[in-house]
Amino acid sequence: MEQGMLEAATSAFAMMFDPWRMFLLFSGVIMGLVLGILPGIGGLAGTALLLPFTFGLDPVAAMALLLGLGATTATGDPIPAILFGVPGGAGSAATVLDGLPMAKRGEASRALSAAYMSSLMGGVFGAILMGLTIPILRPIMLYIGSPELLAFSVLGISFVATLSGKAPLRGLTAAALGIMIAMTGSDPQTGTLRYTFDTLYLWEGAPLTSIVLGFFALPELADLAIARTAIAGNMAKTDSHGMLQGAKDCFKHWWLIVRCSWLGAALGAVPGIGGAVVDWLAYGHAVRTEKGAAQTFGTGDVRGVIASESANNAREGGALVPTVAFGVPGSAGMAILLGAFMIHGLVPGPDMLSKNLHITYSMVWSVALANIVGAGLCYIFSEQFARLATLRYTLIMPSVLGIIYIGAFQGSRNWGDMWTLLIFGLLGWTMKQLKWPRPPLVLGLVLGEIIERYLFISIQRYGVDWFARPIVMGIFAISLFGLLRPLLQDVRKEGGVMGMLSGYGKPHFQRENLMNVFLICVFGYLLWEASTWNFSAKIVPMIVGSLGLAFCSISFLNEVSRRPALSADRVAKPDDKIHMDLESDTGHLALHVVLVRGLIFFGWLLAFMGSMAVVGIIPTVPLFVVLYMRLEGPEPWKLVVPQAICLTVFIWFVFDQLLTIPWPPTYLGTAMPWLKEFIPSI
Amino acid sequence: MTMLKVLGQTLAAGCMALAVAAPAQAQSQPREIAINVGFGAGGVYHTMAMTLSRHMGRYLPGNPTIVVRTMPGAGSILAANHIANVAPKDGSMLAVIGGGTILEPLFRNAEAKFDPAKLNWIGSTSSETYTCVVWKETGVTKLQDMIERPLNAGSTGRGSRTNTYGAALNELLGTKIKLVQGYRGMNDIHLAMERRELDAVCGWGYSSIFSQKPDWLKDDKINILLQFAREKHPDLPHVPLIFDVLKTERDKAAMQLLVLDSYVAWPLVAPPGVPAETIATLRKAYIAALADPTLLAEAKQLQLGIAPVAGEDIQKVVQEVMASPAEVIENARKLSGL
């Protein structure tokens, strides 16, 4: 067996170095990078687009092209994440937490360099793990049933404790809210429509891409527009020193990369977990295990970038596993790869690990090589990229916003995407301003749905016996430990339970406590809505909703009645936990300035949507660019016009011509249908 | 320099030609036809539409380009609503929806805002035979065994085909199928069968077995116990058809509705109100394209079975079904567990 494995691995390696296959891999990589940089556009659309072109290719070449694209969409993700705080994909949201502060400090090139190097190493380590475990994959996968998948998801959600930082109650509330949002859509068992507000849009569940974009990207842009500066001020160092430093950081923390990439690959191999939490779990893992991380993460610690990106890039290698071994796609892009399998007469299953082992290995090599090539290309251009962070906000805002809007729209090609973006942008911005940790909400959002699904399958199939399975018990024990340890630490630090209780005094209501009140109302509404559903549809939302209500209420009481003197006077101790999210750097501005400018920002978004409804999304883009740059700047026409034209042409080409998005009907288009002949998307 | 000049002249000439030709064409035939697929990219519906789009244009006057776009949502109800209410009624926009979507308005789903009888059915690339498949190691070999002993069957949730057929069997024949609901898709159900979490699945397309798990047939891992379709599949002469085991006419009538999605499996539809001659042209081109040797070769490579069902036939059947007596519809709705 080992002999055969080695042979297959080496012959696959030799096969890859055929110039034609290498060319296809390169082409895939370049397309993957471009798609990855655009926020909201994952490899899915690209892979679907390329599929027909692989008909005439041999299987190895076809996989090289498709995997070249699939493996590198994540490589481009950190660029907008670090430079603008706009995650390039759902899997790069955690990168923002430390990447953006680094860029603000003028260390954009160091952060970018660290991101690429860790992407590269993560991708390669992930591929190596897959290569090594191929022979034992099938037995392992067959041993993991629904109860085990449930246990893994519970373990994931226990990271909420770590990712809540110094605000555990707010973190738990956010996580509960995330789970409640995950309940949206037709429920997996009874088909009851939950929280769909009579729209078809929400039937398929919460629209993840739009939520993550709105939740993390818009708040950063809003604060940028409020602060009215460039992201990095004038101190961005785009020198080679920063680049070198970033690479050095990666080699120094190679063990962290190995751990996170293996975590990423393993999670990628679990179907359904998906990309949106892998980065947070790796980040949480780093917070728990790295020295001093609890104090420095979130303030521009390079290890945060490294952990998130290495895991993010190792994921695609992991997602190959269930696809190849069982025909169960580990990610959306892999579902399309599965289609490519059929075209080339490959059947996922035991054959791929015996007769066609060399093809499987050629895929592993493709992923590894694509990561090396992709990161290398990014390296070459990153000095140019890093300069973007030094630009005035009026120069970058229109393009970035325009692309976010269209990127979100292509998610499910529906007006709902626009509203989701706006609503979660507002929620995210409020949470950021008021220092509510956002990561727990994402964890709840992604894992809540999986937990409910596998909980029901486990109970229906095994009764209560599933609980006694050894892996399940082991993982539950670890989860409990992970959940309780940070809590016990807090209790000990505050001098035991009595010490904690002594810090309370007369209630003192502040304006920011309104957030608690608002969330209490939200939970109340969600519970009331759920109360009419049938039992299996409402049990999880009822339990989680009640818990959320409880956490939120306790948090409210805690904040209102805790003596302010305690927190203000106390000197920060070195082991204090930090706020586990970005902080708004608009503190120097008066509250009413922040509010007015925030309103203006969200007003622009509404105006964008209004214009989209009237004249269509593509004519809106140049209109928006011109108006924004002239009214907010004003920027000189010689900068405004080229940007408007280039962006419009680019968006028209990519979204109208290449991705052929069905544009929603517009008022003008309905009134004057002949216009459609001349103006796209109207 | 001369090169540039020549290029410039060619471009100018091209633009003029386009300017002259475009209005003339726009009046008679659409230059571009869009097919909205009601499901996600990469699935069978999408692959079918992509394959068709590469060839059907050749058989239409003016050789229009055919563009495939995905419009996933609510099991293609979204795309059906769109084609019925929003799409232009000139033949420039078509849709691929699920065959089972027809039953949604019939079963009084308020969100399904279209009348299947009024849609213009262009055709279906083939019919499908849905089967009940049991993992061989269970020792279950015939329908009677399913009545005698309980089996865990995978389901993607109430209202889905994997649930409907199993639930209907329990109701009609007294089988002891325990539906384990909540799997994300057929792939997950297969994996669960392989790891012995599940014993069976009902509602798996016979042709899909060949494309998804050919090794299960080759290595003799499964038994096919029952088929759901209007008539027996020629490959499965010894597997009972659901209509052969149902006893009363009442049950059979209800089942006729439920197996509608096996007859109209992969349909292409045009909006209501499109001129009859446009529909006739589209139907003719559809059948011609599905006989195109290049298309057939591609379809073979993609494991897509092509055995076209004519649009006229579908139109007739759909109109019949929509006119079913209220009692039959109600029975069918109850059987499907809705």
Side-chain angles (χ1 to χ4, degrees):
Chain A
M1 185 68 199
E2 299 231 322
Q3 186 71 33
M5 231 180 93
L6 203 64
E7 217 170 273
T10 45
S11 82
F13 193 66
M15 279 189 328
M16 282 310 300
F17 276 94
D18 170 86
W20 171 235
R21 288 170 186 153
M22 282 306 277
F23 168 76
L24 287 170
L25 184 79
F26 260 84
S27 318
V29 166
I30 288 171
M31 283 182 266
L33 289 177
V34 173
L35 289 175
I37 294 172
L38 298 180
I41 322 278
L44 182 63
T47 320
L49 216 61
L50 279 186
L51 193 60
F53 295 104
T54 67
F55 285 0
L57 304 174
D58 68 85
V60 178
M63 294 303 153
L65 179 65
L66 294 173
L67 286 173
L69 191 153
T72 47
T73 45
T75 312
D77 283 350
I79 296 173
I82 290 168
L83 296 181
F84 314 125
V86 173
S92 267
T95 310
V96 176
L97 242 57
D98 284 289
L100 187 63
M102 286 180 76
K104 284 182 178 164
R105 258 201 327 247
E107 290 188 321
S109 41
R110 180 182 172 193
L112 283 173
S113 162
Y116 302 141
M117 188 49 82
S118 53
S119 284
L120 187 158
M121 291 167 73
V124 173
F125 283 141
I128 289 176
L129 179 70
M130 290 308 115
L132 288 177
T133 50
I134 275 177
I136 48 165
L137 278 181
R138 269 184 67 87
I140 292 182
M141 291 277 298
L142 282 179
Y143 193 70
I144 293 176
S146 296
E148 282 78 16
L149 291 173
L150 169 65
F152 283 133
S153 312
V154 171
L155 177 63
I157 219 148
S158 73
F159 273 74
V160 164
T162 313
L163 290 173
S164 299
K166 65 176 178 189
L169 282 170
R170 287 179 167 193
L172 287 170
T173 310
L177 185 64
I179 297 178
M180 294 302 272
I181 296 168
M183 298 293 116
T184 305
S186 146
D187 111 89
Q189 272 198 298
T190 63
T192 306
L193 294 174
R194 299 188 296 196
Y195 306 132
T196 54
F197 306 104
D198 295 330
T199 62
L200 284 173
Y201 170 66
L202 292 171
W203 274 32
E204 309 263 295
L208 201 61
T209 310
S210 304
I211 291 181
V212 172
L213 268 181
F215 204 50
F216 288 101
L218 289 188
E220 293 320 316
L221 295 173
D223 281 346
L224 187 63
I226 290 166
R228 298 196 168 161
T229 55
I231 285 175
N234 290 320
M235 47 181 198
K237 281 185 239 130
T238 56
D239 53 352
S240 50
H241 174 75
M243 300 288 297
L244 200 67
Q245 183 59 41
K248 270 190 197 157
D249 290 330
C250 290
F251 289 113
K252 192 173 153 208
H253 299 293
W254 66 275
W255 179 231
L256 176 68
I257 297 185
V258 170
R259 277 163 19 225
C260 290
S261 58
W262 286 16
L263 185 76
L267 287 170
V270 179
I273 294 270
V277 283
V278 168
D279 53 336
W280 288 117
L281 295 182
Y283 192 85
H285 168 74
V287 173
R288 272 191 199 175
T289 54
E290 287 288 297
K291 201 159 169 251
Q295 283 76 44
T296 57
F297 267 43
T299 57
D301 189 320
V302 73
R303 290 173 297 177
V305 174
I306 290 174
S308 160
E309 280 307 316
S310 53
N312 190 18
N313 255 50
R315 196 186 72 224
E316 209 59 10
L320 253 181
V321 173
T323 321
V324 169
F326 294 97
V328 177
S331 66
M334 284 294 160
I336 294 176
L337 201 72
L338 204 60
F341 273 46
M342 283 185 213
I343 297 171
H344 297 285
L346 300 173
V347 179
D351 274 2
M352 291 304 293
L353 307 179
S354 53
K355 201 173 79 196
N356 291 327
L357 187 61
H358 61 288
I359 295 180
T360 307
Y361 268 109
S362 82
M363 292 186 209
V364 176
W365 286 119
S366 294
V367 172
L369 282 173
N371 273 300
I372 294 174
V373 174
L377 283 174
C378 283
Y379 240 104
I380 297 172
F381 292 110
S382 59
E383 280 202 46
Q384 273 65 38
F385 282 132
R387 293 219 176 91
L388 288 175
T390 62
L391 295 178
R392 281 187 302 279
Y393 80 104
T394 38
L395 285 178
I396 53 166
M397 193 71 83
S399 291
V400 173
L401 270 180
I403 291 177
I404 286 179
Y405 255 92
I406 297 196
F409 182 76
Q410 80 89 47
S412 42
R413 288 122 196 252
N414 194 303
W415 263 98
D417 287 328
M418 309 272 106
W419 289 111
T420 309
L421 193 70
L422 188 72
I423 291 168
F424 279 86
L426 265 173
L427 180 68
W429 184 64
T430 315
M431 285 176 75
K432 188 185 165 203
Q433 285 281 346
L434 299 180
K435 296 199 172 82
W436 282 69
R438 288 173 292 170
L441 189 140
V442 178
L443 275 194
L445 177 62
V446 175
L447 296 174
E449 192 261 340
I450 304 176
I451 289 178
E452 187 193 33
R453 186 180 290 280
Y454 289 120
L455 179 68
F456 276 116
I457 293 181
S458 301
I459 293 172
Q460 285 184 66
R461 172 63 180 84
Y462 300 103
V464 286
D465 296 347
W466 63 272
F467 204 74
R469 290 158 75 114
I471 295 184
V472 175
M473 288 203 295
I475 297 176
F476 273 5
I478 299 172
S479 312
L480 201 66
F481 177 70
L483 208 55
L484 291 181
R485 199 179 64 159
L487 201 72
L488 292 177
Q489 281 171 346
D490 286 348
V491 172
R492 204 174 312 134
K493 210 171 64 191
E494 299 284 338
V497 179
M498 288 315 287
M500 281 176 101
L501 288 176
S502 68
Y504 289 94
K506 237 178 86 180
H508 178 79
F509 190 81
Q510 282 172 310
R511 245 182 316 201
E512 64 164 71
N513 296 131
L514 279 174
M515 183 69 181
N516 289 83
V517 178
F518 169 72
L519 287 177
I520 288 173
C521 295
V522 168
F523 278 113
Y525 172 75
L526 293 177
L527 282 170
W528 174 74
E529 179 97 334
S531 60
T532 55
W533 302 332
N534 68 36
F535 182 75
S536 6
K538 78 174 170 190
I539 176 82
V540 172
M542 284 305 247
I543 292 174
V544 175
S546 307
L547 283 173
L549 193 65
F551 292 140
C552 195
S553 310
I554 299 173
S555 165
F556 176 65
L557 292 177
N558 181 41
E559 282 166 33
V560 170
S561 44
R562 205 149 169 84
R563 268 184 230 142
L566 265 173
S567 44
D569 291 350
R570 221 185 59 189
V571 185
K573 289 184 215 154
D575 62 340
D576 272 358
K577 287 183 193 165
I578 53 143
H579 171 55
M580 194 51 72
D581 198 345
L582 290 166
E583 294 191 23
S584 290
D585 45 11
T586 51
H588 59 289
L589 297 168
L591 180 65
H592 71 273
V593 176
V594 171
L595 281 178
V596 168
R597 291 184 182 177
L599 272 177
I600 295 175
F601 176 80
F602 284 99
W604 276 111
L605 300 185
L606 272 174
F608 188 100
M609 287 164 66
S611 162
M612 189 181 146
V614 176
V615 297
I617 203 163
I618 290 182
T620 296
V621 168
L623 207 64
F624 180 71
V625 172
V626 170
L627 285 178
Y628 193 92
M629 289 176 83
R630 292 300 300 174
L631 292 179
E632 286 268 330
E635 295 290 339
W637 282 106
K638 68 174 199 278
L639 289 176
V640 173
V641 175
Q643 186 170 10
I645 294 176
C646 289
L647 186 68
T648 313
V649 169
F650 174 77
I651 284 178
W652 168 78
F653 178 72
V654 173
F655 295 92
D656 192 66
Q657 296 296 301
L658 216 55
L659 297 175
T660 62
I661 292 179
W663 305 111
T666 60
Y667 290 115
L668 201 62
T670 317
M672 286 176 267
W674 53 270
L675 274 175
K676 289 182 192 170
E677 285 285 319
F678 308 101
I679 305 172
S681 90
I682 200 159
Chain B
M1 218 37 206
T2 25
M3 273 280 283
L4 271 177
K5 221 170 169 182
V6 172
L7 201 71
Q9 280 170 352
T10 326
L11 267 176
C15 287
M16 272 163 68
L18 264 178
V20 175
Q25 254 186 11
Q27 279 163 9
S28 55
Q29 287 297 330
R31 277 173 298 163
E32 190 180 278
I33 294 181
I35 299 183
N36 300 329
V37 178
F39 299 88
V44 181
Y45 291 96
H46 184 241
T47 317
M48 281 278 191
M50 292 287 276
T51 313
L52 192 66
S53 74
R54 283 191 287 273
H55 303 282
M56 195 167 145
R58 282 205 300 280
Y59 295 92
L60 283 164
N63 300 342
T65 322
I66 300 186
V67 189
V68 174
R69 318 188 290 194
T70 55
M71 194 185 274
S76 85
I77 296 180
L78 205 67
N81 285 349
H82 180 271
I83 203 74
N85 304 308
V86 183
K89 303 180 189 312
D90 57 0
S92 67
M93 195 174 278
L94 309 172
V96 169
I97 56 175
T101 318
I102 305 169
L103 296 178
E104 297 287 347
L106 199 66
F107 289 170
R108 294 199 308 271
N109 181 343
E111 295 299 330
K113 299 181 172 74
F114 62 96
D115 180 352
K118 292 214 176 91
L119 290 175
N120 280 297
W121 299 83
I122 305 300
S124 174
T125 44
S126 70
S127 290
E128 177 64 289
T129 298
Y130 294 105
T131 57
C132 268
V133 168
V134 178
W135 196 249
K136 191 152 207 152
E137 280 171 26
T138 55
V140 171
T141 56
K142 55 186 185 300
L143 192 57
Q144 188 59 32
D145 297 343
M146 290 174 85
I147 296 171
E148 278 158 21
R149 49 174 284 200
L151 287 175
N152 289 301
S155 148
T156 50
R158 211 168 75 181
S160 74
R161 192 182 294 130
T162 44
N163 203 72
T164 304
Y165 286 139
L169 281 186
N170 284 344
E171 189 67 30
L172 296 170
L173 301 178
T175 48
K176 295 197 179 71
I177 297 171
K178 192 172 135 202
L179 289 163
V180 183
Q181 295 160 325
Y183 289 93
R184 280 182 315 155
M186 210 45 133
N187 292 322
D188 283 23
I189 293 181
H190 297 154
L191 178 53
M193 282 170 78
E194 207 159 349
R195 66 174 178 243
R196 305 293 301 106
E197 189 170 300
L198 295 174
D199 307 312
V201 59
C202 285
W204 190 9
Y206 182 61
S207 71
S208 308
I209 307 182
F210 285 93
S211 55
Q212 290 170 337
K213 289 283 166 198
D215 50 324
W216 283 10
L217 288 170
K218 196 184 71 199
D219 302 339
D220 201 16
K221 299 256 191 199
I222 46 174
N223 293 326
I224 301 176
L225 298 193
L226 189 64
Q227 44 183 325
F228 294 87
R230 303 182 116 209
E231 39 203 63
K232 262 192 184 179
H233 194 286
D235 284 7
L236 303 169
H238 303 298
V239 177
L241 182 72
I242 181 71
F243 292 103
D244 299 342
V245 293
L246 290 180
K247 287 172 197 82
T248 67
E249 286 307 314
R250 183 175 175 272
D251 293 349
K252 283 182 187 172
M255 187 52 74
Q256 278 293 351
L257 292 197
L258 294 188
V259 299
L260 185 67
D261 68 339
S262 84
Y263 177 65
V264 192
W266 322 101
L268 182 68
V269 295
V274 178
E277 56 213 88
T278 312
I279 295 298
T281 317
L282 284 168
R283 283 175 175 164
K284 221 175 101 199
Y286 183 78
I287 297 292
L290 288 177
D292 183 294
T294 338
L295 182 144
L296 289 175
E298 270 178 34
K300 194 168 173 221
Q301 205 181 9
L302 288 162
Q303 310 266 355
L304 301 172
I306 304 287
V309 186
E312 293 88 342
D313 297 344
I314 299 178
Q315 197 83 41
K316 216 173 107 221
V317 170
V318 169
Q319 273 159 4
E320 274 168 27
V321 162
M322 293 308 290
S324 305
E327 194 216 339
V328 174
I329 296 172
E330 191 51 29
N331 282 341
R333 196 179 68 85
K334 274 194 196 131
L335 279 184
S336 72
L338 285 171

